[in-house]
Amino acid sequence: MGFRFNLNQDETYLVKVMRRLIDDSCTQTIGNLICWSNLIPLKVKCFILRANIGRIPTSDALSHMGISVIHPNCHLCGCVMETVNHHFFECSFAKYVWYWIVKWCDILDLRGDNIRERMEFAQSWGNCPHKRDTLNLNLYSTIWNIWLARNEKIFNKKQVSPTKTTDAIIFKVLNG
């Protein structure tokens, strides 16, 4: 499989047009566009892509692969089995973090109950490309830092706080 690309009407090659062609051809497997802003580290973009298609090691995903999980419940709230959706959007820890990030971003209505919907919202939000990139950075950073908090608790046995996680997100966004 390959791509055939015709030059634009003014006979120029535009990377964003090629990026759109690639994204459009991959929508069946990826499900949506990924923000390819240079503000977001590549490892975070790849993680978000994998989380969006359910390819991160949550308890639910591991048990579906036949791997025995000792503690299948969410490591941050302990309430229900850890799934991608629960971990990033339904968990009380995640809800607290999202509440303060949305408040900090001054967004009145952040839509989306899963990664795909949040990404689509961020991609189409507002008229200013710079503000849209900043929102994407905040969204990606929030998802990434919720995951890091989970890993701190599991692997380093550290008590994690949604307040400290929120502060870390804001600090990283403001300081690059």
Side-chain angles (χ1 to χ4, degrees), residues 2-28:
F3 286 98
R4 185 168 291 231
F5 185 80
N6 295 325
L7 292 174
N8 293 330
Q9 291 176 348
D10 61 355
E11 296 192 12
T12 59
Y13 170 82
L14 297 174
V15 173
K16 71 179 181 179
V17 174
M18 179 55 87
R19 177 79 248 161
R20 192 174 309 121
L21 285 172
I22 293 170
D23 285 337
D24 289 346
S25 72
C26 298
T27 53
Q28 294 169 353

Side-chain angles (χ1 to χ4, degrees), residues 13 22 45 52 69 74 104 110 114 137 145 155 164-165:
Y13 170 82
I22 293 170
K45 291 182 240 186
N52 185 41
V69 180
C74 175
W104 177 64
L110 179 64
N114 58 47
L137 174 62
N145 280 279
F155 301 113
K164 286 185 180 180
T165 301

